[in-house]
Amino acid sequence: MVIPVHDVNPSRRTPWVTYALIAANFVAFLLTPGVSGSVAGGSSLAQLCHLEAFTEQYALVPRELIHGRMPSLVPTGAVGVGVHGPGCVLGPPAYDKSPVLSVLTAMFLHGSWLHLLGNMLFLLIFGNNIEGRMGHVRYLLFYVACGYAAAYGFALTNSSSTTPLIGASGAVAGVLGAYLVLYPRARVWILVPFLLFLPLRLPAWIVLGFWFVLQAFYSTGEAIAEAGTVAYLAHVVGFAAGMLLAWPLKPGTPPPPEPRGVLFGRQARRAW
């Protein structure tokens, strides 16, 4: 596990779309029912039931997306008492859900602060250069396209799953794939957990290549990790989609500036 901190690759223009996407994700998270419980350290049953109903309505569900089979009973957000004690009440859905549109809404929902901050950190570090290379409008379309590619790629291989999926990870993975294609030699400062945190500056192809290999390895097991409910296959598909969409831009992309001085956390010697 490595934590990116900064890339040595100045942006060509102000990344307004990247900033707007980050802001939209934070606003959506703060407006998500039950988020106050995640901040305070606990949630009541009523908050959990409200969150479950909200997620069912706006999250991506593979079976709904591929087969168009909507559930007859969904969480209503209310709390009731059954034979097994208090629980969330189920009832017919009081809304019309578009499975295709749910892919978009799910891209702005996150399950925890850690989930949100991790995605937004990667987007902030690597998204500005991709936006600078593509332009604002094309970058936004690229971001959404990668998110849809990741969602459909995962759903097609898990078409019977009824587990709701949320998060911007697929779209952000597309940004990482584009960065690997366009700026493989750009240096990236990372923190490696070793005793405390060891700062290193490595080429992007090592940092992002390692990230992709790790996601691909995890995806060969369970499609959704039980511990973290992470759809690793969506990351792999989003990354590959980002690489393919960015490839035509590679010939005209100027290389990043060659860093001087500090290398791998130490003062580099001059070669002359």
Side-chain angles (χ1 to χ4, degrees):
M1 176 62 181
V2 298
I3 304 173
V5 177
H6 175 66
D7 65 333
V8 187
N9 191 6
S11 179
R12 300 173 59 188
R13 65 185 78 186
T14 303
W16 295 117
V17 174
T18 296
Y19 292 158
L21 288 171
I22 293 174
N25 276 275
F26 272 97
V27 170
F29 182 72
L30 293 174
L31 293 178
T32 300
V35 71
S36 58
S38 66
V39 176
S43 298
S44 66
L45 178 58
Q47 289 175 318
L48 292 175
C49 291
H50 198 188
L51 175 60
E52 189 174 346
F54 181 86
T55 302
E56 183 69 34
Q57 181 175 356
Y58 293 105
L60 158 68
V61 178
R63 189 175 71 171
E64 297 174 0
L65 183 62
I66 302 303
H67 301 295
R69 296 172 57 184
M70 307 301 295
S72 57
L73 296 176
V74 297
T76 63
V79 178
V81 179
V83 294
H84 300 292
C88 301
V89 176
L90 300 180
Y95 51 82
D96 293 324
K97 180 179 180 180
S98 169
V100 175
L101 186 59
S102 71
V103 177
L104 181 62
T105 56
M107 289 167 55
F108 292 90
L109 302 180
H110 291 82
S112 67
W113 279 107
L114 183 62
H115 187 199
L116 172 68
L117 293 175
N119 279 337
M120 295 304 101
L121 176 63
F122 276 85
L123 181 59
L124 179 63
I125 293 174
F126 300 104
N128 59 342
N129 294 109
I130 305 305
E131 181 176 352
R133 180 66 183 91
M134 293 184 174
H136 304 307
V137 175
R138 186 161 52 170
Y139 170 72
L140 178 60
L141 295 175
F142 163 84
Y143 181 89
V144 173
C146 289
Y148 267 85
Y152 272 93
F154 180 84
L156 285 170
T157 55
N158 299 273
S159 59
S160 61
S161 174
T162 58
T163 302
L165 299 179
I166 57 175
S169 304
V172 174
V175 173
L176 303 186
Y179 197 99
L180 179 61
V181 167
L182 300 178
Y183 304 104
R185 293 187 298 170
R187 295 300 197 271
V188 180
W189 279 103
I190 62 172
L191 296 178
V192 179
F194 182 76
L195 298 180
L196 293 175
F197 285 98
L198 178 65
L200 296 176
R201 190 178 69 186
L202 302 176
W205 68 268
I206 294 180
V207 177
L208 299 180
F210 174 77
W211 183 90
F212 177 76
V213 169
L214 196 62
Q215 306 307 303
F217 174 76
Y218 286 150
S219 70
T220 60
E222 292 293 330
I224 302 179
E226 293 182 0
T229 62
V230 179
Y232 290 107
L233 183 59
H235 301 176
V236 173
V237 176
F239 192 95
M243 292 184 67
L244 291 174
L245 292 174
W247 198 267
L249 299 176
K250 184 175 177 60
T253 301
E258 187 64 28
R260 296 177 178 271
V262 179
L263 182 62
F264 295 102
R266 299 180 300 174
Q267 186 73 22
R269 291 181 178 271
R270 291 183 181 271
W272 59 86

